[in-house]
Each structure stands twice: as structure tokens, then as C-alpha cells.
């Protein structure tokens, strides 16, 4: 009998996300939250990634905001995934706001987050903003 814990839920959410089953991934995340298991950065990032794959940028931002509300620390992966969901949803301004928040939180800005922010600028035709990020 499989023990249902944070690790098994997170792995299953991630498997659903990677298989394009974003609705199922979010349903599992909801079950996890209501089962009183501890949600961590990994489980939130997997759920945010499922939203990104499903072009559900609003849900991705909701989950990203929920992380802080339940005292789960965000990291570069969570920021980048939320930024990517915004980019995919043509919400370049929101993606750049997340990038700015990441810098203010003194999280390490890596190649993935920079590329995601620049791609968001590209989507919005904001070449000046892309150049500004490039110079970071």
C-alpha cells in the first residue's frame, strides 16, 4: 500500500503535468491541500508548471501568490515557471513584474529566469525592456 505524503503527491502532480494532464495535476494539488499534507516549493512549482502547460496564467499567478500566503518559500524555479505561464498567456508585463520581484527578494537570477523574462518581452514587442534585462 502506497503511503500518500508530500513526496508522492508532488511526484504524481509532476507526472500529470509532464503528460499534459494539467487539470488532473491541479485536482491532485487541491486534494493535497485539503488533506492537510504540507505543501512545499516542489509541489507548488509542479502545480504552477501544470498551469503553464495548460495556458492558465491566472491560475499560475494565483498559486504563486498562495505560496507566500501559506509561508512556502519561493525559489528561482517557481518564479521562472510563473513567468513562463505569463509569457505563454501574452502577459509580458506580469512576467517582468515577477522578474523584478525576484531581484528584490535577492533570489539568484539565472540564465533560465533571464531568458524567460527576455522571451516575455519578445512576445510583447518590448525590445527596450529586453535590452534592459540583458544588461542585468
Amino acid at each position: 500500500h502506497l503511503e500518500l505524503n508530500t513526496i508522492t503527491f508532488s511526484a504524481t502532480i509532476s507526472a500529470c503535468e509532464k503528460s499534459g494532464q494539467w487539470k488532473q495535476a491541479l485536482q491532485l494539488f487541491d486534494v493535497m491541500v485539503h488533506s492537510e499534507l504540507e505543501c512545499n516549493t516542489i509541489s507548488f512549482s509542479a502545480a504552477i508548471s501544470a498551469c503553464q502547460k495548460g495556458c492558465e496564467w491566472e491560475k499560475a499567478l494565483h498559486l504563486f501568490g498562495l505560496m507566500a500566503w501559506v509561508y512556502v518559500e519561493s525559489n528561482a524555479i517557481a518564479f521562472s515557471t510563473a513567468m513562463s505561464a505569463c509569457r505563454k498567456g501574452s502577459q509580458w508585463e506580469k512576467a517582468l513584474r515577477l522578474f523584478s520581484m525576484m531581484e528584490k527578494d535577492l533570489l539568484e537570477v539565472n540564465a533560465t529566469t533571464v531568458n524567460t523574462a527576455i522571451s516575455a518581452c519578445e512576445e510583447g514587442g518590448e525590445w527596450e525592456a529586453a535590452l534592459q534585462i540583458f544588461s542585468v
Side-chain angles (χ1 to χ4, degrees), residues 24-61:
Q24 184 66 41
L26 293 181
Q27 288 173 350
L28 283 170
F29 184 78
D30 191 52
V31 169
M32 183 180 179
V33 168
H34 289 94
S35 70
E36 298 182 15
L37 287 172
E38 179 185 348
C39 294
N40 60 19
T41 306
I42 295 168
S43 54
F44 267 100
S45 293
I48 292 168
S49 186
C51 294
Q52 183 262 334
K53 294 274 175 31
C55 297
E56 296 288 334
W57 66 269
E58 291 167 312
K59 289 179 183 175
L61 287 183

Side-chain angles (χ1 to χ4, degrees), residues 40-42 44-45 48 63-80 82 98 101-102 105-108:
N40 60 19
T41 306
I42 295 168
F44 267 100
S45 293
I48 292 168
L63 289 173
F64 186 80
L66 187 60
M67 288 178 77
W69 195 70
V70 297
Y71 305 106
V72 172
E73 191 173 328
S74 56
N75 62 11
I77 294 169
F79 268 98
S80 184
L98 287 168
M101 284 173 54
M102 185 178 178
D105 288 352
L106 302 176
L107 289 173
E108 181 182 336

